[in-house]
Amino acid sequence: METVRAMVIDPKNKETKVIELSAKPDYKEWKKLMGIDSPVDLVRLERFTGPDQEIVTGLIVDDEGLLKEENYYFLPEDYSSPLAGTVLLVSWDDECENGTLVDLVLPSGGIRWAKSDFKMAPELVFVDTTDQEKLN
């Protein structure tokens, strides 16, 4: 099995660790490393153009991470909002149709750790779409 270098970002312990991951997408492996059972999502951070390929570096995140009460946060530099929970920093060939990962290309920015008492309160607003006055 082919493996690639990736990085675990752990905001609870404020640490990062380089790891080996399967080059083929393996959601079960990702979720185990992240300590979650919810769906995952992908956050693109940066694109690198090389002579033979375009590499994208991004984060595999807990899709429900911001909704969890007990969580720890961090903010990647040059990204607009905090992210929650343990994530995987990975790279992939943007031209590859099967989603195969490649060895990690580190983004240019760093990470800012949130204070341990930092909390986010997502606000959900429901709109009655049958009431035209509220939509105008």
Side-chain angles (χ1 to χ4, degrees):
M1 172 177 61
E2 183 183 355
T3 61
V4 295
R5 284 187 314 264
M7 184 179 290
V8 175
I9 299 175
D10 176 2
K12 180 178 182 179
N13 296 307
K14 294 182 171 60
E15 61 187 23
T16 60
K17 179 181 175 183
V18 175
I19 61 167
E20 294 284 322
L21 278 181
S22 170
K24 291 188 177 184
D26 183 344
Y27 299 100
K28 288 181 182 178
E29 177 187 24
W30 300 346
K31 290 178 177 190
K32 182 177 179 183
L33 287 165
M34 296 165 65
I36 63 170
D37 58 8
S38 49
V40 295
D41 202 356
L42 195 59
V43 174
R44 287 176 175 245
L45 294 179
E46 201 164 340
R47 178 185 301 270
F48 303 92
T49 303
D52 298 327
Q53 62 187 159
E54 288 194 23
I55 302 295
V56 176
T57 295
L59 297 166
I60 298 170
V61 301
D62 179 350
D63 191 48
E64 298 173 358
L66 294 174
L67 301 174
K68 294 181 178 173
E69 288 185 33
E70 294 295 320
N71 225 335
Y72 296 86
Y73 300 84
F74 68 99
L75 180 66
E77 285 186 16
D78 300 324
Y79 193 71
S80 60
S81 63
L83 297 169
T86 300
V87 304
L88 302 175
L89 181 65
V90 298
S91 295
W92 64 92
D93 180 346
D94 204 32
E95 299 296 319
C96 183
E97 293 184 20
N98 64 6
T100 301
L101 299 179
V102 298
D103 276 329
L104 179 63
V105 178
L106 288 173
S108 57
I111 298 170
R112 291 186 291 161
W113 305 111
K115 294 180 181 179
S116 58
D117 61 350
F118 177 83
K119 298 287 181 215
M120 283 190 68
E123 184 177 317
L124 300 176
V125 178
F126 295 95
V127 177
D128 180 1
T129 58
T130 61
D131 187 346
Q132 288 300 314
E133 266 184 45
K134 290 182 182 177
L135 293 175
N136 294 328

